[in-house]
Amino acid sequence: MNFRPLHDRVLVRRVTADEKSAGGIIIPDTAKEKPQEGEIVSVGTGTVSDKGEVRPLDVKAGDRILFGKWSGTEVKLNGEDLLIMKESDIMGVIG
C-alpha cells in the first residue's frame, strides 16, 4: 500500500532505541521509553496560504528529526509501526 500524507503532515519511522544501557545492562521492552528521534518516510505537499499559494515543507523524505514525546498519531502500514504528525510537531532536523 502506498501512503502520501496530506498538506503539512509527515510520515515518520521511529529510530529504534538501544537494547543495552551504557553499563551493559539489557533494558526490557516494558522499561524502554519510545524514542523521540525518527526518519521521515514521506511528506505532504505543504500548507496553503490565504492567497492560495502552497508553501512547501522545510523537511524532506530521509531527514532525521527530533519530535516531542507525545507528538503524532501511531499507525500501522504494511505491518510497520509509523507516526503521522504535523510539521509543527517537529523540533528540528539532525545533521
Side-chain angles (χ1 to χ4, degrees), residues 41-57:
V41 176
S42 63
V43 298
T45 54
T47 56
V48 179
S49 70
D50 295 336
K51 297 178 183 176
E53 300 166 347
V54 176
R55 182 191 69 80
L57 302 182

mmCIF file with all atom_site columns, all heavy atoms in Angstrom, residues 41-57:
data_model
loop_
_atom_site.group_PDB
_atom_site.id
_atom_site.type_symbol
_atom_site.label_atom_id
_atom_site.label_alt_id
_atom_site.label_comp_id
_atom_site.label_asym_id
_atom_site.label_entity_id
_atom_site.label_seq_id
_atom_site.pdbx_PDB_ins_code
_atom_site.Cartn_x
_atom_site.Cartn_y
_atom_site.Cartn_z
_atom_site.occupancy
_atom_site.B_iso_or_equiv
_atom_site.pdbx_formal_charge
_atom_site.auth_seq_id
_atom_site.auth_comp_id
_atom_site.auth_asym_id
_atom_site.auth_atom_id
_atom_site.pdbx_PDB_model_num
ATOM 1   N N   . VAL A 1 41 ? 9.645  9.355  6.257  1.00 0.00 ? 41 VAL A N   1
ATOM 2   C CA  . VAL A 1 41 ? 9.400  8.421  5.154  1.00 0.00 ? 41 VAL A CA  1
ATOM 3   C C   . VAL A 1 41 ? 8.816  9.171  3.961  1.00 0.00 ? 41 VAL A C   1
ATOM 4   O O   . VAL A 1 41 ? 9.235  8.980  2.828  1.00 0.00 ? 41 VAL A O   1
ATOM 5   C CB  . VAL A 1 41 ? 8.452  7.290  5.608  1.00 0.00 ? 41 VAL A CB  1
ATOM 6   C CG1 . VAL A 1 41 ? 8.112  6.370  4.458  1.00 0.00 ? 41 VAL A CG1 1
ATOM 7   C CG2 . VAL A 1 41 ? 9.058  6.525  6.765  1.00 0.00 ? 41 VAL A CG2 1
ATOM 8   N N   . SER A 1 42 ? 7.830  10.039 4.213  1.00 0.00 ? 42 SER A N   1
ATOM 9   C CA  . SER A 1 42 ? 7.243  10.853 3.139  1.00 0.00 ? 42 SER A CA  1
ATOM 10  C C   . SER A 1 42 ? 6.631  12.115 3.733  1.00 0.00 ? 42 SER A C   1
ATOM 11  O O   . SER A 1 42 ? 6.352  12.175 4.926  1.00 0.00 ? 42 SER A O   1
ATOM 12  C CB  . SER A 1 42 ? 6.207  10.053 2.338  1.00 0.00 ? 42 SER A CB  1
ATOM 13  O OG  . SER A 1 42 ? 5.140  9.674  3.163  1.00 0.00 ? 42 SER A OG  1
ATOM 14  N N   . VAL A 1 43 ? 6.443  13.114 2.882  1.00 0.00 ? 43 VAL A N   1
ATOM 15  C CA  . VAL A 1 43 ? 5.912  14.408 3.320  1.00 0.00 ? 43 VAL A CA  1
ATOM 16  C C   . VAL A 1 43 ? 4.744  14.825 2.434  1.00 0.00 ? 43 VAL A C   1
ATOM 17  O O   . VAL A 1 43 ? 4.635  14.400 1.287  1.00 0.00 ? 43 VAL A O   1
ATOM 18  C CB  . VAL A 1 43 ? 6.991  15.518 3.289  1.00 0.00 ? 43 VAL A CB  1
ATOM 19  C CG1 . VAL A 1 43 ? 8.129  15.201 4.222  1.00 0.00 ? 43 VAL A CG1 1
ATOM 20  C CG2 . VAL A 1 43 ? 7.507  15.763 1.900  1.00 0.00 ? 43 VAL A CG2 1
ATOM 21  N N   . GLY A 1 44 ? 3.885  15.674 2.999  1.00 0.00 ? 44 GLY A N   1
ATOM 22  C CA  . GLY A 1 44 ? 2.777  16.241 2.232  1.00 0.00 ? 44 GLY A CA  1
ATOM 23  C C   . GLY A 1 44 ? 3.265  17.351 1.314  1.00 0.00 ? 44 GLY A C   1
ATOM 24  O O   . GLY A 1 44 ? 4.450  17.704 1.293  1.00 0.00 ? 44 GLY A O   1
ATOM 25  N N   . THR A 1 45 ? 2.355  17.932 0.585  1.00 0.00 ? 45 THR A N   1
ATOM 26  C CA  . THR A 1 45 ? 2.704  18.961 -0.398 1.00 0.00 ? 45 THR A CA  1
ATOM 27  C C   . THR A 1 45 ? 3.017  20.304 0.237  1.00 0.00 ? 45 THR A C   1
ATOM 28  O O   . THR A 1 45 ? 3.726  21.110 -0.350 1.00 0.00 ? 45 THR A O   1
ATOM 29  C CB  . THR A 1 45 ? 1.564  19.148 -1.411 1.00 0.00 ? 45 THR A CB  1
ATOM 30  O OG1 . THR A 1 45 ? 0.355  19.423 -0.692 1.00 0.00 ? 45 THR A OG1 1
ATOM 31  C CG2 . THR A 1 45 ? 1.392  17.907 -2.263 1.00 0.00 ? 45 THR A CG2 1
ATOM 32  N N   . GLY A 1 46 ? 2.501  20.584 1.421  1.00 0.00 ? 46 GLY A N   1
ATOM 33  C CA  . GLY A 1 46 ? 2.749  21.856 2.092  1.00 0.00 ? 46 GLY A CA  1
ATOM 34  C C   . GLY A 1 46 ? 1.461  22.526 2.506  1.00 0.00 ? 46 GLY A C   1
ATOM 35  O O   . GLY A 1 46 ? 0.369  22.014 2.283  1.00 0.00 ? 46 GLY A O   1
ATOM 36  N N   . THR A 1 47 ? 1.599  23.701 3.104  1.00 0.00 ? 47 THR A N   1
ATOM 37  C CA  . THR A 1 47 ? 0.436  24.439 3.575  1.00 0.00 ? 47 THR A CA  1
ATOM 38  C C   . THR A 1 47 ? 0.021  25.463 2.522  1.00 0.00 ? 47 THR A C   1
ATOM 39  O O   . THR A 1 47 ? 0.843  25.978 1.769  1.00 0.00 ? 47 THR A O   1
ATOM 40  C CB  . THR A 1 47 ? 0.736  25.169 4.898  1.00 0.00 ? 47 THR A CB  1
ATOM 41  O OG1 . THR A 1 47 ? 1.872  26.008 4.705  1.00 0.00 ? 47 THR A OG1 1
ATOM 42  C CG2 . THR A 1 47 ? 1.020  24.194 6.008  1.00 0.00 ? 47 THR A CG2 1
ATOM 43  N N   . VAL A 1 48 ? -1.271 25.761 2.501  1.00 0.00 ? 48 VAL A N   1
ATOM 44  C CA  . VAL A 1 48 ? -1.803 26.731 1.560  1.00 0.00 ? 48 VAL A CA  1
ATOM 45  C C   . VAL A 1 48 ? -2.027 28.042 2.305  1.00 0.00 ? 48 VAL A C   1
ATOM 46  O O   . VAL A 1 48 ? -2.690 28.067 3.343  1.00 0.00 ? 48 VAL A O   1
ATOM 47  C CB  . VAL A 1 48 ? -3.122 26.224 0.933  1.00 0.00 ? 48 VAL A CB  1
ATOM 48  C CG1 . VAL A 1 48 ? -3.688 27.255 -0.028 1.00 0.00 ? 48 VAL A CG1 1
ATOM 49  C CG2 . VAL A 1 48 ? -2.907 24.902 0.233  1.00 0.00 ? 48 VAL A CG2 1
ATOM 50  N N   . SER A 1 49 ? -1.465 29.143 1.775  1.00 0.00 ? 49 SER A N   1
ATOM 51  C CA  . SER A 1 49 ? -1.616 30.457 2.404  1.00 0.00 ? 49 SER A CA  1
ATOM 52  C C   . SER A 1 49 ? -2.995 31.025 2.095  1.00 0.00 ? 49 SER A C   1
ATOM 53  O O   . SER A 1 49 ? -3.754 30.470 1.291  1.00 0.00 ? 49 SER A O   1
ATOM 54  C CB  . SER A 1 49 ? -0.531 31.410 1.910  1.00 0.00 ? 49 SER A CB  1
ATOM 55  O OG  . SER A 1 49 ? -0.768 31.746 0.554  1.00 0.00 ? 49 SER A OG  1
ATOM 56  N N   . ASP A 1 50 ? -3.311 32.158 2.721  1.00 0.00 ? 50 ASP A N   1
ATOM 57  C CA  . ASP A 1 50 ? -4.589 32.829 2.465  1.00 0.00 ? 50 ASP A CA  1
ATOM 58  C C   . ASP A 1 50 ? -4.714 33.267 1.006  1.00 0.00 ? 50 ASP A C   1
ATOM 59  O O   . ASP A 1 50 ? -5.811 33.418 0.488  1.00 0.00 ? 50 ASP A O   1
ATOM 60  C CB  . ASP A 1 50 ? -4.730 34.055 3.375  1.00 0.00 ? 50 ASP A CB  1
ATOM 61  C CG  . ASP A 1 50 ? -4.815 33.666 4.843  1.00 0.00 ? 50 ASP A CG  1
ATOM 62  O OD1 . ASP A 1 50 ? -5.227 32.516 5.123  1.00 0.00 ? 50 ASP A OD1 1
ATOM 63  O OD2 . ASP A 1 50 ? -4.483 34.498 5.704  1.00 0.00 ? 50 ASP A OD2 1
ATOM 64  N N   . LYS A 1 51 ? -3.586 33.467 0.352  1.00 0.00 ? 51 LYS A N   1
ATOM 65  C CA  . LYS A 1 51 ? -3.573 33.881 -1.054 1.00 0.00 ? 51 LYS A CA  1
ATOM 66  C C   . LYS A 1 51 ? -3.685 32.683 -2.005 1.00 0.00 ? 51 LYS A C   1
ATOM 67  O O   . LYS A 1 51 ? -3.673 32.854 -3.215 1.00 0.00 ? 51 LYS A O   1
ATOM 68  C CB  . LYS A 1 51 ? -2.294 34.650 -1.365 1.00 0.00 ? 51 LYS A CB  1
ATOM 69  C CG  . LYS A 1 51 ? -2.153 35.934 -0.580 1.00 0.00 ? 51 LYS A CG  1
ATOM 70  C CD  . LYS A 1 51 ? -0.842 36.609 -0.893 1.00 0.00 ? 51 LYS A CD  1
ATOM 71  C CE  . LYS A 1 51 ? -0.664 37.849 -0.046 1.00 0.00 ? 51 LYS A CE  1
ATOM 72  N NZ  . LYS A 1 51 ? 0.642  38.486 -0.265 1.00 0.00 ? 51 LYS A NZ  1
ATOM 73  N N   . GLY A 1 52 ? -3.711 31.475 -1.458 1.00 0.00 ? 52 GLY A N   1
ATOM 74  C CA  . GLY A 1 52 ? -3.819 30.281 -2.280 1.00 0.00 ? 52 GLY A CA  1
ATOM 75  C C   . GLY A 1 52 ? -2.488 29.711 -2.738 1.00 0.00 ? 52 GLY A C   1
ATOM 76  O O   . GLY A 1 52 ? -2.450 28.777 -3.525 1.00 0.00 ? 52 GLY A O   1
ATOM 77  N N   . GLU A 1 53 ? -1.389 30.279 -2.243 1.00 0.00 ? 53 GLU A N   1
ATOM 78  C CA  . GLU A 1 53 ? -0.067 29.797 -2.619 1.00 0.00 ? 53 GLU A CA  1
ATOM 79  C C   . GLU A 1 53 ? 0.346  28.646 -1.702 1.00 0.00 ? 53 GLU A C   1
ATOM 80  O O   . GLU A 1 53 ? 0.107  28.688 -0.508 1.00 0.00 ? 53 GLU A O   1
ATOM 81  C CB  . GLU A 1 53 ? 0.956  30.925 -2.506 1.00 0.00 ? 53 GLU A CB  1
ATOM 82  C CG  . GLU A 1 53 ? 0.656  32.108 -3.397 1.00 0.00 ? 53 GLU A CG  1
ATOM 83  C CD  . GLU A 1 53 ? 1.473  33.339 -3.037 1.00 0.00 ? 53 GLU A CD  1
ATOM 84  O OE1 . GLU A 1 53 ? 2.085  33.360 -1.945 1.00 0.00 ? 53 GLU A OE1 1
ATOM 85  O OE2 . GLU A 1 53 ? 1.485  34.279 -3.842 1.00 0.00 ? 53 GLU A OE2 1
ATOM 86  N N   . VAL A 1 54 ? 0.986  27.625 -2.273 1.00 0.00 ? 54 VAL A N   1
ATOM 87  C CA  . VAL A 1 54 ? 1.438  26.474 -1.494 1.00 0.00 ? 54 VAL A CA  1
ATOM 88  C C   . VAL A 1 54 ? 2.863  26.730 -1.011 1.00 0.00 ? 54 VAL A C   1
ATOM 89  O O   . VAL A 1 54 ? 3.754  27.039 -1.794 1.00 0.00 ? 54 VAL A O   1
ATOM 90  C CB  . VAL A 1 54 ? 1.395  25.183 -2.343 1.00 0.00 ? 54 VAL A CB  1
ATOM 91  C CG1 . VAL A 1 54 ? 1.967  24.011 -1.559 1.00 0.00 ? 54 VAL A CG1 1
ATOM 92  C CG2 . VAL A 1 54 ? -0.027 24.884 -2.776 1.00 0.00 ? 54 VAL A CG2 1
ATOM 93  N N   . ARG A 1 55 ? 3.064  26.619 0.322  1.00 0.00 ? 55 ARG A N   1
ATOM 94  C CA  . ARG A 1 55 ? 4.394  26.754 0.912  1.00 0.00 ? 55 ARG A CA  1
ATOM 95  C C   . ARG A 1 55 ? 4.889  25.350 1.199  1.00 0.00 ? 55 ARG A C   1
ATOM 96  O O   . ARG A 1 55 ? 4.318  24.635 2.027  1.00 0.00 ? 55 ARG A O   1
ATOM 97  C CB  . ARG A 1 55 ? 4.350  27.553 2.219  1.00 0.00 ? 55 ARG A CB  1
ATOM 98  C CG  . ARG A 1 55 ? 5.768  27.741 2.814  1.00 0.00 ? 55 ARG A CG  1
ATOM 99  C CD  . ARG A 1 55 ? 5.745  28.290 4.225  1.00 0.00 ? 55 ARG A CD  1
ATOM 100 N NE  . ARG A 1 55 ? 5.232  27.352 5.213  1.00 0.00 ? 55 ARG A NE  1
ATOM 101 C CZ  . ARG A 1 55 ? 5.920  26.355 5.773  1.00 0.00 ? 55 ARG A CZ  1
ATOM 102 N NH1 . ARG A 1 55 ? 7.163  26.114 5.418  1.00 0.00 ? 55 ARG A NH1 1
ATOM 103 N NH2 . ARG A 1 55 ? 5.367  25.578 6.670  1.00 0.00 ? 55 ARG A NH2 1
ATOM 104 N N   . PRO A 1 56 ? 5.946  24.898 0.494  1.00 0.00 ? 56 PRO A N   1
ATOM 105 C CA  . PRO A 1 56 ? 6.450  23.540 0.736  1.00 0.00 ? 56 PRO A CA  1
ATOM 106 C C   . PRO A 1 56 ? 7.017  23.402 2.148  1.00 0.00 ? 56 PRO A C   1
ATOM 107 O O   . PRO A 1 56 ? 7.384  24.388 2.787  1.00 0.00 ? 56 PRO A O   1
ATOM 108 C CB  . PRO A 1 56 ? 7.541  23.359 -0.317 1.00 0.00 ? 56 PRO A CB  1
ATOM 109 C CG  . PRO A 1 56 ? 7.864  24.712 -0.820 1.00 0.00 ? 56 PRO A CG  1
ATOM 110 C CD  . PRO A 1 56 ? 6.709  25.616 -0.504 1.00 0.00 ? 56 PRO A CD  1
ATOM 111 N N   . LEU A 1 57 ? 7.084  22.166 2.633  1.00 0.00 ? 57 LEU A N   1
ATOM 112 C CA  . LEU A 1 57 ? 7.607  21.902 3.968  1.00 0.00 ? 57 LEU A CA  1
ATOM 113 C C   . LEU A 1 57 ? 9.119  22.106 4.012  1.00 0.00 ? 57 LEU A C   1
ATOM 114 O O   . LEU A 1 57 ? 9.802  22.016 2.994  1.00 0.00 ? 57 LEU A O   1
ATOM 115 C CB  . LEU A 1 57 ? 7.261  20.478 4.385  1.00 0.00 ? 57 LEU A CB  1
ATOM 116 C CG  . LEU A 1 57 ? 5.766  20.120 4.399  1.00 0.00 ? 57 LEU A CG  1
ATOM 117 C CD1 . LEU A 1 57 ? 5.581  18.696 4.890  1.00 0.00 ? 57 LEU A CD1 1
ATOM 118 C CD2 . LEU A 1 57 ? 4.975  21.078 5.249  1.00 0.00 ? 57 LEU A CD2 1
#
